[in-house]
Amino acid sequence: MDLANPVATVVKDVPEKKSAPCLELSDGTFLDHLRIYYYSLFPFKLFQRWLSYDGVQKNYFLFRELSFTLASDAYLRFQSFKDEEELKQEIWRLCPVKIDIGAVYNSKPKDRKSVKPAAFQPQERELVFDIDMTDYDEIRTCCSGASICLKCWDFMTISIKVLDSILREDFGFKHLLWVFSGRRGVHCWVCDESARKLPAEARRAIVSFIEVVKGGEQQSRKVNLPNHLHVSLLRSLRTVDAYFNKSILEKQAPLDDRSRWSKILQLISDEGIRNTLDARWAKDGGWSSRDRWGDLETEIAEATSKKASKRGGLHNVARDIKFQYTYPRLDDHVTTGLNHLLKAPFCIHPVGNVCVPIDPADCENFNPLTVPKLYDLVRQIDEFNAANPDSVGVPDYAKTSLKPHMERFENFVNALSEEQREKLRAQRTREDRMMNAQ
């Protein structure tokens, strides 16, 4: 490969206007294209600006752990770099198939062996959340495992809306970077200074506040909320209600046949109601999930009108089922562990998808099936150059479908930088006033 012009070297053999194949790590073409991506498209400057927070403190980027997974399956932890250029040169040299981001330590991670283990400790890390579609396999009916479609992607849409609102409204965080994981989930990076400095205990407290769906595979009813909901849950319930009919009842059809509706009936503590609904639904096979849900709500409302039937939380069961079928399901270990690693934005998933940022305000229009793909990006650069031979100064990302995603990331980093500048200006003003007062 001619790395002076890697695009021309590889793309000459790519048929024009061909839909992107599913590239895998075992395919040599994947690594050829990945190398081009790192040379031409990966946002090294923005990446370093983000993780250094414009030098919020000395050695912040230098003490940050990055890890690389190579095509050989070699896993290189505790990598660290002094600046953008050093990071870029190493990634160009290694061509990692995955980049993970860790904590900021109290010394250079790559030199950790030169200090006592107890002296090498994580100091700061973004507050991060990982939501994976496989955690919804017990309730989604359209797909399972690694497979996703637009029907079940609504689980991610609802999760983004609910969690984004909680983090902003209840905790006051402002700088939230939502990122597509590359295949079947989303990550959230809370980058406010106050979030980065949170100890593990505070992170556990935040998870505890957010978590609603609790219990293992053997537990049927995983949501048991009190009669009177916290204002945060009331706000979340409005989002849940807005999506439940279409996203759950219509798209997932959880009450269309007995194998599905039996899972929901198990969540009702009253055996009489369970038997009544099961018999009625089995008798009338023409009902939709919407019809049966309406019947369930009516049956419960009639039962709860009798004072004795309010035992066992029956009067809240319909509401709690809605939460169980829609609410974010968090991997709490990712959030609470300061030394836990999380995949970096703009990584390339083995299927070829780019891990692009998601706009939470417009997440309902995000399509995980049409995100920029490695194969297409390389072709798009070649096609742009062929169609615009006299173009000068156009960055390669602007020649591709990656452009709006890169601009979203740049706007996010710029907002962080502007806040840091405002803090420095305010600090100087305070210092000037103190000097003038002396």
Side-chain angles (χ1 to χ4, degrees), residues 183-200:
R183 189 167 194 174
R184 59 178 185 267
V186 294
H187 300 155
C188 178
W189 300 77
V190 185
C191 300
D192 300 63
E193 183 178 10
S194 59
R196 303 197 307 268
K197 293 180 179 296
L198 289 171

Side-chain angles (χ1 to χ4, degrees), residues 61-113:
F61 184 71
L62 180 62
F63 290 178
R64 167 83 70 167
E65 180 192 0
L66 297 176
S67 78
F68 300 145
T69 303
L70 307 185
S72 63
D73 281 338
Y75 185 40
L76 309 179
R77 276 205 69 173
F78 300 108
Q79 306 299 296
S80 55
F81 306 91
K82 66 179 181 180
D83 53 27
E84 169 202 346
E85 186 60 29
E86 188 175 67
L87 170 66
K88 183 192 300 182
Q89 292 297 328
E90 187 70 350
I91 288 180
W92 282 357
R93 184 179 74 86
L94 295 174
C95 195
V97 296
K98 185 186 177 190
I99 304 170
D100 286 299
I101 300 173
V104 177
Y105 285 79
N106 54 352
S107 60
K108 288 188 286 187
K110 67 180 178 182
D111 293 341
R112 74 193 185 285
K113 292 182 179 180

Side-chain angles (χ1 to χ4, degrees), residues 171-347:
F171 292 97
F173 297 129
K174 295 192 301 182
H175 301 287
L176 277 62
L177 179 65
W178 286 94
V179 182
F180 176 46
S181 69
R183 189 167 194 174
R184 59 178 185 267
V186 294
H187 300 155
C188 178
W189 300 77
V190 185
C191 300
D192 300 63
E193 183 178 10
S194 59
R196 303 197 307 268
K197 293 180 179 296
L198 289 171
E201 296 79 8
R203 294 166 193 259
R204 281 194 290 269
I206 290 175
V207 170
S208 178
F209 178 86
I210 295 171
E211 273 190 327
V212 165
V213 182
K214 303 175 182 179
E217 294 181 2
Q218 304 305 316
Q219 184 174 334
S220 297
R221 185 168 176 176
K222 295 180 171 65
V223 176
N224 283 281
L225 295 173
N227 295 339
H228 302 291
L229 297 180
H230 185 278
V231 63
S232 176
L233 289 172
L234 287 173
R235 188 174 58 248
S236 296
L237 182 57
R238 289 195 290 271
T239 301
V240 167
D241 282 338
Y243 280 88
F244 185 75
N245 284 346
K246 188 167 186 65
S247 297
I248 305 302
L249 296 181
E250 290 186 13
K251 294 183 179 180
Q252 296 301 319
L255 301 172
D256 269 22
D257 59 57
R258 177 171 269 161
S259 66
R260 296 181 183 180
W261 77 53
S262 61
K263 295 180 180 179
I264 287 183
L265 292 184
Q266 288 176 6
L267 308 180
I268 301 174
S269 59
D270 190 300
E271 184 179 3
I273 292 178
R274 293 200 305 268
N275 293 337
T276 297
L277 292 174
D278 181 71
R280 188 153 63 223
W281 295 351
K283 183 178 180 181
D284 194 333
W287 285 13
S288 67
S289 285
R290 271 204 180 208
D291 295 331
R292 291 187 173 118
W293 180 257
D295 189 38
L296 180 151
E297 289 186 308
T298 299
E299 192 70 28
I300 290 175
E302 291 177 354
T304 53
S305 65
K306 303 172 185 178
K307 189 174 182 180
S309 297
K310 293 188 178 182
R311 296 191 301 269
L314 182 60
H315 53 305
N316 294 324
V317 68
R319 179 201 66 188
D320 288 358
I321 290 172
K322 289 182 180 181
F323 273 104
Q324 183 160 330
Y325 271 70
T326 56
Y327 213 72
R329 299 183 174 210
L330 307 178
D331 184 338
D332 57 344
H333 298 294
V334 173
T335 304
T336 58
L338 272 172
N339 59 351
H340 200 100
L341 299 169
L342 191 63
K343 186 192 302 179
F346 293 98
C347 274

Side-chain angles (χ1 to χ4, degrees), residues 342-377:
L342 191 63
K343 186 192 302 179
F346 293 98
C347 274
I348 304 295
H349 191 278
V351 299
N353 294 333
V354 184
C355 300
V356 294
I358 299 172
D359 180 2
D362 191 45
C363 60
E364 63 270 19
N365 292 316
F366 179 81
N367 187 339
L369 306 180
T370 60
V371 297
K373 293 176 172 55
L374 179 62
Y375 183 97
D376 285 336
L377 293 174

Side-chain angles (χ1 to χ4, degrees), residues 132-148:
D132 194 286
M133 189 70 77
T134 54
D135 292 327
Y136 295 80
D137 279 355
E138 66 176 9
I139 57 176
R140 61 174 176 155
T141 61
C142 52
C143 305
S144 63
S147 300
I148 63 164

Side-chain angles (χ1 to χ4, degrees), residues 10-186:
V10 175
V11 179
K12 64 182 181 181
D13 296 324
V14 177
E16 293 188 3
K17 305 299 182 183
K18 182 178 180 181
S19 59
C22 179
L23 300 177
E24 296 290 351
L25 292 181
S26 59
D27 184 352
T29 306
F30 181 96
L31 293 178
D32 288 341
H33 283 66
L34 185 60
R35 191 173 296 277
I36 296 169
Y37 175 79
Y38 283 136
Y39 268 81
S40 302
L41 295 170
F42 189 82
F44 287 103
K45 184 175 183 179
L46 284 173
F47 190 79
Q48 191 273 339
R49 278 184 60 200
W50 168 41
L51 294 181
S52 66
Y53 293 91
D54 278 351
V56 62
Q57 64 188 53
K58 186 179 180 181
N59 296 327
Y60 202 83
F61 184 71
L62 180 62
F63 290 178
R64 167 83 70 167
E65 180 192 0
L66 297 176
S67 78
F68 300 145
T69 303
L70 307 185
S72 63
D73 281 338
Y75 185 40
L76 309 179
R77 276 205 69 173
F78 300 108
Q79 306 299 296
S80 55
F81 306 91
K82 66 179 181 180
D83 53 27
E84 169 202 346
E85 186 60 29
E86 188 175 67
L87 170 66
K88 183 192 300 182
Q89 292 297 328
E90 187 70 350
I91 288 180
W92 282 357
R93 184 179 74 86
L94 295 174
C95 195
V97 296
K98 185 186 177 190
I99 304 170
D100 286 299
I101 300 173
V104 177
Y105 285 79
N106 54 352
S107 60
K108 288 188 286 187
K110 67 180 178 182
D111 293 341
R112 74 193 185 285
K113 292 182 179 180
S114 64
V115 299
K116 294 180 179 180
F120 180 68
Q121 296 295 326
Q123 302 298 299
E124 294 187 14
R125 176 177 175 257
E126 292 77 10
L127 179 66
V128 295
F129 296 89
D130 180 10
I131 306 175
D132 194 286
M133 189 70 77
T134 54
D135 292 327
Y136 295 80
D137 279 355
E138 66 176 9
I139 57 176
R140 61 174 176 155
T141 61
C142 52
C143 305
S144 63
S147 300
I148 63 164
C149 68
L150 291 182
K151 288 182 179 181
C152 56
W153 189 255
D154 279 5
F155 288 116
M156 296 297 106
T157 298
I158 300 168
S159 293
I160 291 173
K161 288 187 171 292
V162 168
L163 187 54
D164 191 80
S165 176
I166 292 173
L167 293 170
R168 294 180 192 276
E169 299 295 328
D170 297 310
F171 292 97
F173 297 129
K174 295 192 301 182
H175 301 287
L176 277 62
L177 179 65
W178 286 94
V179 182
F180 176 46
S181 69
R183 189 167 194 174
R184 59 178 185 267
V186 294

